[in-house]
Amino acid sequence: MVTQYIRKVGLFVLSASLLVAGLQIGARARADDDAKWAATEKLYNTYCVQCHGMNRNGKGINAKSMPVQPRDHSDPKGMGAIPDSEIVKAITYGGLSVNKSVLMPAWGKVLSAQQIQDLAAYIRHVCQCGAEAKH
Amino acid sequence: MGRIPILLCVAALTAAAPALAGAADGDAILKQQCAPCHALSKPSDLSLERLWKRKGPDLYYAGVKFNQQWLVQWLQNPARIRPAGEFYFKHVKMTPGGDIVDIAALPRHPRLSKADAEAAAAALMALKGPDAMVSKGAFKKQAVPALIGAMFFEKLRGCAACHMDKPNSGGLSGPELYDAGKRLQPDYIYAYIKAPQRFDPHIWMPQLDLSETDLQRLANYLAARQDAAAK
């Protein structure tokens, strides 16, 4: 009886501490996730927000005067249709290189290949769409 | 009776330090009034963090960038150059229709008296930055019809996404350029378009693949822009 009781309490304590540990792992994973995106988010905020907007929806401060609307990066449908390779190419060599508008500039001489890869992955993260899982 | 020695004393001091009493000391003005916001010598830290933190554009190469006459006038009567301030990201207001510039958040620029503006402008013109930042004579003056220039700037090369080449027409994240000819030296205009990251390694203007013909055409178009601000 007593041993059974002790075993129950033990199980309870064990499962409770597992639960707490699980929560902690979850929180840490989210913090790692935030840290992972922080540097890339800063790049996006510096170079892309001027046209693609604070909400990543193509409505930056420059967009009003532009004859071609910057791409809505928050739109899963539109972004899901663009393959990863095209995203990387568009950022590196500009809109013209993928038969899109010249108003999307080339960033290949300002950002490193790694930074551009990170931005492409970040855009997938923003739209929650497309080939992120396929990497 | 007691006052006379003091007066004499002041007279003697001013005679001994003519720079203080007569013409304003440009270097002193820059150090005291401008250094909090502007780099007057090349910063050792040129990181993206620094660019985010800086409170005003760098002036350590002002002598190869500005026309002195424009400086003298602007410092007495500063008008907005960057429609979204320095730097744009800090002055964006989100609205349901999209981002707009939060005009109310843009600070007013300090204003100088005529004498101080002349002295500060002269001191700024002495700041040349490192050698080879701007090569002298790279700009080749040629007649570019304004319509052709505007077509390249606005449509073919996409510059108007970020810059206004006419008052109230163009993007807001880069400096207005409709009076670039009054404000900027032609060799600087050429050098900047060719390699913006030479002036700051992280500045948010792209370095585009432009041919020499393109560079000269765009620089000549801008160097001829003399419009007054539409304010």
Side-chain angles (χ1 to χ4, degrees), chain B:
Chain B
M1 182 61 200
R3 273 200 203 124
I4 290 165
I6 295 171
L7 277 179
L8 281 176
C9 219
V10 170
L13 267 178
T14 37
L20 287 178
D25 179 345
D27 284 327
I29 293 174
L30 292 187
K31 279 202 191 78
Q32 284 156 20
Q33 298 178 40
C34 322
C37 297
H38 295 288
L40 301 172
S41 56
K42 187 173 176 181
S44 50
D45 172 16
L46 283 173
S47 63
L48 183 59
E49 297 299 324
R50 199 281 310 191
L51 189 59
W52 272 63
K53 276 195 219 119
R54 78 177 186 184
K55 297 205 181 83
D58 296 337
L59 293 178
Y60 66 88
Y61 50 86
V64 295
K65 168 166 179 173
F66 296 107
N67 290 321
Q68 187 164 0
Q69 209 188 354
W70 176 87
L71 278 175
V72 172
Q73 268 157 21
W74 188 84
L75 289 171
Q76 295 174 70
N77 195 8
R80 186 82 47 217
I81 298 166
R82 291 160 187 74
E86 169 78 28
F87 93 87
Y88 79 86
F89 185 83
K90 296 178 178 167
H91 307 114
V92 175
K93 197 154 91 182
M94 288 182 266
T95 75
D99 295 350
I100 59 170
V101 177
D102 188 359
I103 308 267
L106 299 177
R108 283 176 110 42
H109 196 272
R111 189 181 286 264
L112 296 182
S113 68
K114 185 164 190 282
D116 283 0
E118 278 166 357
L124 283 172
M125 293 310 288
L127 305 178
K128 305 282 190 201
D131 282 350
M133 216 166 184
V134 170
S135 3
K136 254 194 157 19
F139 173 87
K140 306 275 184 278
K141 194 174 163 63
Q142 52 181 257
V144 173
L147 273 175
I148 300 287
M151 186 173 78
F152 275 85
F153 189 90
E154 292 161 15
K155 298 214 166 68
L156 300 177
R157 300 297 174 253
C159 317
C162 303
H163 294 284
M164 294 195 269
D165 59 336
K166 293 164 188 149
N168 298 322
S169 158
L172 305 176
S173 62
E176 53 80 1
L177 293 172
Y178 47 73
D179 71 346
K182 281 189 195 156
R183 188 158 65 84
L184 306 170
Q185 298 175 26
D187 283 334
Y188 168 83
I189 297 177
Y190 173 92
Y192 203 97
I193 304 171
K194 187 169 180 177
Q197 281 66 37
R198 184 179 281 184
F199 297 86
D200 184 288
H202 302 289
I203 198 70
W204 49 97
M205 167 161 157
Q207 182 172 334
L208 302 172
D209 237 333
L210 299 169
S211 67
E212 177 65 16
T213 314
D214 251 354
L215 286 168
Q216 294 292 356
R217 183 164 37 216
L218 288 164
N220 270 278
Y221 170 64
L222 292 177
R225 302 281 92 215
Q226 306 267 346
D227 285 333
K231 294 211 164 94

